Amino acid sequence: MVKPSLDASTVYEVCTATARPSGVRKALQGLKETVVKAATAYEVAAAQQAQHTLDHLKHQPDGESATKATKAAKAAKGSINEELKKTYVNRMVGGAGRAVYDKLRGSCHGLCALCGHGAADTLDHQLPKDSFPLLSVVPVNLVPACSRCNHQKKEQAPTHAGDQTLHPYFDGDVHDHLWLFARVTGPPKPSVIFYVDPPADMPPAFAARARHHFATLELSGLYNSQIAYELRSLGMSLAKHPLPPAELREHLQETAEIKAAVEGRNSWKAALYQGLVDSAWYVEGGWEEPWK
């Protein structure tokens, strides 16, 4: 996915321009250079799969002790961290920065960039704004996501390179490798099991992230919720135009290659069709399974 070209400084200016009262606005605008430096540090780290090295940005500029203060205490002190987080909620999602929010949300053809399936109805903070308020409205930290994935991911902050979901803007090379597979099994209980199995030559950080991404977002359950319609449609088509096993395997292989080319080699449909190719049970008659 192409990294957004939106400038962090400009976006921050737009989002803070209408902050009220004026004292809060001045305090926020006085942090512009700090936010830009944090955005630059983030971009450098993300390009090296090293977001876990950004601990020096955690809970800044107030510091962790202020973050742990009670809500009333923070309000009384006029916590700038809270105002930075409000800048996303009140001034980007619900304010002057809404056009930026909508542009980012629609940047993956309206789909969630984390699962590739659900509609992108929100933005996910790759590094959570609760821990990294300086990154609350930094464009490269905001990824189009569905509510399901955003909820599954929660407020995770990585402790090492592999302890992070795949970043759509910076981890595209992960798809140089094939790591998502599906195993199709027959009676007594026909099923499809999706799993991650990184190849030996895959960089360890990417391999760990692929596993973390798949587990954190519970993608196995999401993919399984979709297969019944796909397999029932395929079964109905084959019932009208049956193919001998060898020709069916060739047809499924061709479909798997098309799904990989159009939706990605690690998409669930590419994995599913390759799993069907590899299932002797399916090509020799398992396609008649009703898959209810």
Side-chain angles (χ1 to χ4, degrees), residues 197-217:
D197 186 16
D201 63 343
M202 191 168 170
F206 277 157
R209 285 190 178 198
R211 288 194 179 96
H212 185 80
H213 188 90
F214 187 78
T216 298
L217 301 179

Side-chain angles (χ1 to χ4, degrees), residues 77-143:
K77 289 179 65 177
S79 163
I80 197 66
N81 282 8
E82 291 303 304
E83 290 299 334
L84 285 165
K85 288 184 275 185
K86 286 181 185 176
T87 297
Y88 173 75
V89 176
N90 298 339
R91 300 160 191 139
M92 175 179 265
V93 180
R98 181 69 194 198
V100 174
Y101 176 85
D102 288 340
K103 183 173 183 177
L104 290 169
R105 194 162 59 94
S107 62
C108 188
H109 310 291
L111 293 175
C112 173
L114 299 178
C115 69
H117 178 76
D121 52 10
T122 188
L123 294 178
D124 172 68
H125 288 78
Q126 285 284 290
L127 288 185
K129 65 181 183 303
D130 275 358
S131 300
F132 296 88
L134 288 171
L135 301 173
S136 293
V137 295
V138 169
V140 290
N141 190 42
L142 301 173
V143 171

Side-chain angles (χ1 to χ4, degrees), residues 3-48:
K3 183 178 64 174
S5 59
L6 295 163
D7 175 64
S9 176
T10 303
V11 170
Y12 187 74
E13 284 179 5
V14 169
C15 292
T16 56
T18 57
R20 297 287 186 276
S22 61
V24 169
R25 182 169 67 252
K26 285 182 181 178
L28 287 171
Q29 291 177 337
L31 282 174
K32 187 176 78 170
E33 290 307 314
T34 303
V35 168
V36 171
K37 285 182 181 177
T40 301
Y42 174 89
E43 194 158 349
V44 170
Q48 300 172 353

Side-chain angles (χ1 to χ4, degrees), residues 21 207 274:
Q274 190 59 54

